[in-house]
Amino acid sequence: MADWEPPRLHANNDIELWLAADLVHLPIVRSVVATIATRADFDLDAIADLRLAVDEACSTLITRAVPGSTMRCRFTVSGDELRFTGTVHSDSDSSPSTKSFGWRVLTTLTDSVDSRVTANGQQGHQVDIELAKRRVVVDPSGAGA
């Protein structure tokens, strides 16, 4: 497979992780998203939701990935939102099913989720899953109560 050129990162709010598209690496991705969410001041429930959602998204991507290929995970914190985009190369041109239990998990645990498949020349197809979770902002003055 040809080299995969990483896109430019946006300032210092993007973190990218490239690893073999193998289920054995899921604990690493879960740890990374939990660390990023903790540093972005997400509450414990949101951190747990993000760990599960990213795990489900990556599991879905890994099962579609060309054997022996790479999975790219991008994490972006912007304001009160953490956005995750996972990408793999696949031989299949079909999107993940939005009727599956896994997709239901993603839509329940996040504020938004989307997938797309694009043709990638001789490398087959690129499959992306993007999800976002917003941090609950607490009004310390109690004015909103």
Side-chain angles (χ1 to χ4, degrees), residues 3-23:
D3 288 334
W4 205 7
E5 181 65 30
R8 295 179 51 90
L9 298 178
H10 305 306
N12 52 1
N13 290 330
D14 283 2
I15 296 171
E16 244 182 39
L17 179 65
W18 293 51
L19 43 104
D22 190 317
L23 294 172

Side-chain angles (χ1 to χ4, degrees), residues 72-84:
R72 181 178 70 206
C73 301
R74 177 182 275 205
F75 307 88
T76 303
V77 176
S78 177
D80 295 327
E81 182 179 79
L82 193 156
R83 182 167 298 278
F84 166 81

Side-chain angles (χ1 to χ4, degrees), residues 76-145:
T76 303
V77 176
S78 177
D80 295 327
E81 182 179 79
L82 193 156
R83 182 167 298 278
F84 166 81
T85 305
T87 303
V88 295
H89 289 294
S90 178
D91 290 329
S92 172
D93 64 350
S94 64
S95 293
S97 172
T98 58
K99 296 179 184 192
S100 68
F101 176 75
W103 197 262
R104 175 65 78 180
V105 168
L106 289 173
T107 59
T108 301
L109 296 175
T110 62
D111 294 309
S112 67
V113 63
D114 191 24
S115 70
R116 63 191 161 277
V117 178
T118 53
N120 201 9
Q122 293 179 341
Q123 295 180 2
H125 298 85
Q126 179 175 309
V127 181
D128 299 294
I129 295 179
E130 185 172 339
L131 59 87
K133 179 109 177 141
R134 286 184 289 284
R135 179 170 48 90
V136 175
V137 179
V138 178
D139 182 6
S141 68

Side-chain angles (χ1 to χ4, degrees), residues 17-83:
L17 179 65
W18 293 51
L19 43 104
D22 190 317
L23 294 172
V24 72
H25 296 300
L26 288 176
I28 295 167
V29 181
R30 286 193 305 262
S31 294
V32 169
V33 74
T35 300
I36 293 168
T38 300
R39 292 182 55 87
D41 207 24
F42 279 73
D43 64 34
L44 292 176
D45 288 335
I47 293 168
D49 289 351
L50 280 163
R51 285 174 59 99
L52 288 170
V54 167
D55 183 273
E56 183 60 40
C58 288
S59 296
T60 300
L61 289 167
I62 289 168
T63 60
R64 295 174 170 280
V66 172
S69 66
T70 301
M71 177 172 62
R72 181 178 70 206
C73 301
R74 177 182 275 205
F75 307 88
T76 303
V77 176
S78 177
D80 295 327
E81 182 179 79
L82 193 156
R83 182 167 298 278

